Amino acid sequence: MKQSVKMIVGNWKMNGVAADLAGAVAEMLADLQQNPASARVGLCPPATLIERMARIIDGGPIMVGGQDCRVEQKGAYTGGVSAEMLVDAGARAVILGHSERRQEFGEIDALVSQKVGAALRAGLTPIVCVGETLAQREAGQAVSVVRDQILGSLNDGLAGRDWALAYEPVWAIGTGLTPTLDQIAEIHAAARDAMIERLREGGRAAPILYGGSVNPGNARDILAVDEVGGALVGGASLKAADFLAIIRAA
Ligand code: PEP
C-alpha cells in the first residue's frame, strides 16, 4: 500500500543542547514555515530539550517526541520519565523499543508492549521500533525475527489510534550500511502482514517507517519503496540541511 503522506522523524538520541535549538531547530522551522513539507515531520530530542523545543516550535510544523517512557505514570523510579511527563513537557509522540534500548537496557517485547499502552494512555503517538541483528539476517531469520517482535511489541489499544511502526535493521543503524531496496520491500511487506495478524483491521493504517543510515543521498529511493511510509532518521536529523533534504525527498 502506498501512503501519500509520509512521516519523517528525527531521533537525536543523547545529542543536543540549547545551542542546537537556536541553530538546527530554528533553521528547520524557518524552512518548513516558509515552504510547508508534504511529509509529517517529527523530532525526538533528549528529554532535557523537549520542553524548550516544543516552546520554540509552538504548534508549528514539527511534532516533538520523546525517545522512551516508563510504563508507570509516576512514583519511585529514579531517573524515569513517564508518558504523562512527556505530554506535560510538550511531546506528542514517543519512540519505543529502539534497538539501543533493547540492547543496552534489556528491553523485551512484552515491556515494549506495556510502554505502548502507557503512551496511548497519555495520548502520545507511539513509534514502535523493530529490526533484526546482522547475525539474525545472516542466519536467514530477518522476517521471522521482525514478525515475532511485532506480534510481541504491539498492544491491542493501537487499533484506531495514531501510531507508526519503524523497521530498523540493527546493523544499519549508525553504520552507513543499508539493506537493498528489495530487502526493505520484503521486510516492510512482512511487517504489514504481522501488523494485520496482530491487530486485524487495526493494523492496516499505520505507516511503516524505515530507519538505518537514511541520508539525503538514499532517502528518495528508500521512500519510494512499496510500504515505506516514512523514515526514522538518526545522525542525519542533527543537521538542518540533511534533515530538510530528507523531508523534501518524501
Ligand atoms: C536510529 O537510531 O533510529 C537511526 C536510524 O540512526 P541512523 O539514521 O544514524 O542510522
Side-chain angles (χ1 to χ4, degrees):
M1 187 171 63
K2 288 256 183 226
Q3 261 121 9
S4 44
V5 177
K6 308 274 188 196
M7 189 171 179
I8 308 293
V9 179
N11 173 15
W12 276 15
K13 312 191 187 192
M14 201 174 77
N15 297 292
V17 292
D20 298 300
L21 300 178
V25 175
E27 202 181 317
M28 291 173 195
L29 194 56
D31 192 278
L32 294 172
Q33 278 167 339
Q34 201 177 353
N35 182 10
S38 47
R40 189 174 172 204
V41 178
L43 260 187
C44 302
T48 48
L49 286 185
I50 289 175
E51 177 156 17
R52 279 174 287 173
M53 187 182 280
R55 278 188 205 281
I56 287 172
I57 292 169
D58 191 24
I62 302 175
M63 171 172 74
V64 181
Q67 300 173 7
D68 176 49
C69 69
R70 278 200 66 99
V71 173
E72 303 80 6
Q73 200 162 344
K74 60 180 179 176
Y77 304 105
T78 302
V81 175
S82 72
E84 283 76 8
M85 289 169 178
L86 293 177
V87 171
D88 186 54
R92 286 159 50 206
V94 63
I95 296 169
L96 295 171
H98 191 282
S99 67
E100 286 155 14
R101 294 210 59 90
R102 290 177 185 264
Q103 287 185 328
E104 293 196 22
F105 300 92
E107 293 197 5
I108 58 170
D109 294 339
L111 177 63
V112 176
S113 174
Q114 287 187 306
K115 290 187 174 196
V116 171
L120 294 171
R121 177 187 72 213
L124 290 166
T125 295
I127 300 166
V128 186
C129 301
V130 296
E132 82 284 0
T133 64
L134 187 57
Q136 289 165 333
R137 173 159 286 276
E138 286 175 348
Q141 298 166 346
V143 167
S144 65
V145 165
V146 167
R147 174 178 173 272
D148 288 350
Q149 286 179 337
I150 290 171
L151 297 182
S153 303
L154 300 189
N155 181 302
D156 289 337
L158 287 168
R161 298 287 296 268
D162 185 45
W163 69 283
L165 188 89
Y167 166 55
E168 299 204 302
V170 178
W171 52 274
I173 295 178
T175 59
L177 302 172
T178 52
T180 65
L181 299 179
D182 284 347
Q183 287 171 330
I184 294 174
E186 180 193 25
I187 300 289
H188 279 237
R192 178 65 68 197
D193 289 346
M195 289 157 71
I196 292 169
E197 182 180 346
R198 178 67 179 79
L199 298 172
R200 306 287 157 197
E201 285 309 298
R204 283 192 195 279
I208 306 173
L209 317 185
Y210 167 78
S213 297
V214 176
N215 62 49
N218 61 22
R220 194 170 297 278
D221 287 343
I222 290 173
L223 289 166
V225 172
D226 206 31
E227 277 292 9
V228 173
L232 183 53
V233 184
S237 70
L238 291 163
K239 294 189 199 126
D242 287 358
F243 194 49
L244 286 165
I246 294 167
I247 292 167
R248 299 297 176 199

